[in-house]
């Protein structure tokens, strides 16, 4: 019906705006970390501990947000977390010690983790309603928002103080939340908590028993592990790609900085074309093809003897990894609802946190190029897991 189609179109546009806002705000914060470090006078180790607040807040909140979504619905939780995210981004410039920065970032990380579970849950419901694999388009919006946020942040870093810059992000974010939030709240959630509870009760009454529940949990964790394997690569590329180009291949600082840009741009392009790819190949084939591509790309990027070959490898890696994480989150949500999204998101985010320190330790033990090949190894693991569980998952 026309009215229903209009609601779904409005819902898709609103969710896309929130995904883009999340990437925009987070990237805006990341580019000002050096200035915040100087302002607080924190040592490298103290800053590292303070930055851990983002991770701790995100992981803890992700484990709780699934319950909040079931109780209050994904739309309201998305809007509430967006408001908190936008307000908390203005707080780091007001701190003058590593301890205070860590506390503030704990709040910021909580909002970041909460909104990721909430809008991914809403997106999973919309994918099921439309019966089209549009999940990559939402994650493409996140990537685009991040690229815009980082680009603008770099442009204004020399003319705006961190206080003014991050306050501008707060104002911009609240305006986007006002517009997109009104549109989101006008649409009835597609999978209300009451309906989920009724379906669970019905399944128990009909004798579903405990075994299907355990099977579902195992599959959700499996998709979370796939997300972890691919998010590991994204974290590793963000923190170590430029250093590899500069240290091992003698690239200039400017050219080395282009390494992650090539990766991120290729990932964005891959996600923009992800829906078409999923419709043609199906989910399992897309994960297998993407993971295999990422293996080849990362081996090239890590072991190539020239800068340009390494940049090409980074771009191929971005294309390969682009759609695996969105597919894993969507499948976990289809199986486990908001709790499934929370579990897979927590594992995936854990992979992004695990990547940088793991690469660092392996670089000390062996070499940085050898350490970066672990990205290819985990991409191959994601392929093997996807192949092994292809018959156990919901149809593609």
């Amino acid at each position: 019906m026309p009215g229903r189609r209009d609601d779904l179109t409005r819902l898709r546009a609103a969710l896309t705006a929130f995904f883009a806002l999340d990437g925009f705000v987070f990237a805006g914060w990341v580019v000002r970390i050096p200035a915040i470090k100087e302002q607080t006078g924190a040592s490298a180790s103290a800053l590292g501990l303070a930055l851990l607040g983002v991770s701790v807040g995100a992981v803890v909140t992700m484990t709780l947000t699934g319950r909040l979504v079931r109780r209050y619905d994904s739309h309201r939780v998305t809007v509430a977390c967006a408001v908190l995210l936008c307000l908390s981004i203005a707080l780091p410039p007001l701190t003058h010690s590593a301890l205070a920065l860590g506390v503030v970032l704990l709040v910021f990380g909580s909002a970041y983790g909460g909104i990721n579970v909430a809008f991914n849950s809403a997106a999973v419901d919309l994918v099921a309603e439309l019966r089209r694999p549009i999940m990559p388009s939402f994650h493409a919006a996140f990537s685009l928002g991040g690229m815009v946020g980082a680009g603008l942040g770099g442009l204004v870093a020399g003319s705006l103080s961190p206080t003014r810059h991050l306050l501008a992000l707060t104002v911009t974010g609240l305006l986007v939340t006002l517009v997109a939030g009104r549109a989101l709240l006008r649409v009835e959630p597609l999978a209300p908590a009451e309906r989920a509870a009724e379906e669970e009760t019905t399944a128990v009454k009909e004798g579903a028993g405990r075994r299907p529940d355990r099977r579902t949990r195992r599959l959700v964790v499996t998709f979370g592990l796939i997300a972890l394997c691919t998010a590991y690569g994204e974290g590793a590329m963000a923190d170590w790609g430029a250093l590899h180009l500069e240290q091992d291949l003698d690239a200039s600082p400017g050219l080395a900085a282009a390494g992650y840009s090539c990766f991120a741009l290729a990932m964005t392009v891959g996600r923009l074309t992800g829906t078409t790819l999923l419709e043609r190949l199906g989910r399992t084939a897309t994960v297998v093809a993407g993971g295999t591509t990422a293996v080849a790309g990362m081996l090239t990027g890590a072991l190539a003897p020239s800068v340009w070959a390494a940049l090409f490898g980074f771009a191929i890696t971005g294309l390969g990894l682009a759609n695996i994480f969105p597919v894993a989150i969507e499948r976990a949500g289809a199986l486990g609802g908001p709790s499934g999204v929370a579990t897979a998101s927590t594992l995936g985010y854990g992979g992004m946190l695990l990547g940088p320190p793991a690469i660092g330790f392996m670089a000390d033990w062996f070499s940085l190029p050898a350490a970066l090949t672990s990205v290819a190894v985990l991409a191959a693991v994601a392929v093997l897991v996807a192949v092994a569980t292809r018959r156990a998952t919901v149809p593609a």
Side-chain angles (χ1 to χ4, degrees):
M1 296 178 64
R4 182 62 170 171
R5 286 198 298 270
D6 290 344
D7 282 346
L8 295 179
T9 300
R10 186 182 299 115
L11 175 57
R12 184 174 182 179
L15 288 175
T16 300
F18 278 114
F19 271 86
L21 174 65
D22 189 38
F24 179 78
V25 170
F26 190 80
W29 147 248
V30 167
V31 299
R32 300 317 297 254
I33 290 177
I36 299 297
K37 177 181 183 297
E38 183 178 352
Q39 174 185 302
T40 58
S43 64
S45 58
L47 178 65
L49 290 174
L51 293 176
L52 193 61
V54 178
S55 307
V56 172
V59 170
V60 170
T61 307
M62 281 177 173
T63 61
L64 301 175
T65 306
R67 298 177 185 176
L68 292 176
V69 168
R70 287 192 179 277
R71 182 169 182 177
Y72 297 108
D73 81 58
S74 58
H75 295 186
R76 282 188 279 185
V77 175
T78 295
V79 173
C81 289
V83 171
L84 181 58
L85 182 76
C86 296
L87 292 175
S88 61
I89 195 62
L91 299 178
L94 305 180
T95 61
H96 298 282
S97 69
L99 178 60
L101 179 61
V103 172
V104 163
L105 292 181
L106 191 66
V107 178
F108 176 70
S110 298
Y112 180 76
I115 195 173
N116 272 271
V117 172
F119 61 36
N120 271 298
S121 296
V124 166
D125 293 337
L126 182 58
V127 168
E129 182 73 16
L130 294 176
R131 297 185 180 181
R132 289 192 65 212
I134 62 169
M135 197 70 171
S137 67
F138 294 120
H139 288 261
F142 174 85
S143 298
L144 284 171
M147 292 177 67
V148 172
L152 288 178
L155 288 175
V156 305
S159 56
L160 284 182
S161 66
T163 301
R164 291 183 177 181
H165 176 205
L166 297 185
L167 182 60
L169 289 185
T170 293
V171 174
T172 303
L174 290 176
L175 289 174
V176 172
T177 300
L178 176 64
V179 176
R182 287 182 63 187
L184 186 62
L185 294 176
R186 286 173 59 188
V187 181
E188 188 72 18
L190 299 176
E194 294 83 6
R195 190 173 76 190
E198 290 174 1
E199 291 174 352
E200 184 177 349
T201 301
T202 301
V204 173
K205 287 181 178 179
E206 291 177 354
R210 294 183 178 180
R211 188 171 182 179
D213 292 336
R214 289 199 297 271
R215 174 181 178 275
T216 297
R217 286 195 294 271
R218 286 197 300 269
L219 288 174
V220 166
V221 170
T222 297
F223 285 119
L225 291 175
I226 292 175
L228 182 153
C229 289
T230 55
Y232 173 97
E234 190 170 352
M237 287 297 301
D239 284 19
W240 292 100
L243 183 61
H244 166 58
L245 294 174
E246 189 171 348
Q247 171 185 290
D248 301 312
L249 300 177
D250 297 322
S252 65
L255 188 57
Y260 183 71
S261 297
C262 289
F263 173 82
L265 180 60
M267 177 170 280
T268 302
V269 172
R271 286 174 171 175
L272 288 172
T273 59
T275 296
T276 301
L277 191 66
L278 285 165
E279 288 177 334
R280 291 184 178 181
L281 299 181
R283 293 177 177 87
T284 299
T286 297
V287 170
V288 171
T292 304
T293 300
V295 170
M298 198 62 240
L299 289 177
T300 301
L303 304 177
S306 70
V307 174
W308 295 108
L311 290 175
F312 175 75
F314 287 176
I316 296 301
T317 304
L319 282 175
L321 295 180
N323 296 305
I324 302 178
F325 188 91
V327 169
I329 297 298
E330 186 260 324
R331 290 292 83 195
L335 285 165
S339 297
V341 173
T343 298
S345 296
T346 302
L347 287 170
Y349 194 77
M352 191 172 292
L353 299 178
L354 174 67
I359 295 290
F361 282 116
M362 286 186 285
D364 284 341
W365 296 334
F366 307 106
S367 68
L368 182 53
L372 287 173
T373 61
S374 64
V375 174
V377 172
L378 286 187
V381 170
V383 170
L384 294 176
V385 172
V387 172
T389 59
R390 67 188 184 279
R391 298 184 184 278
T393 60
V394 289

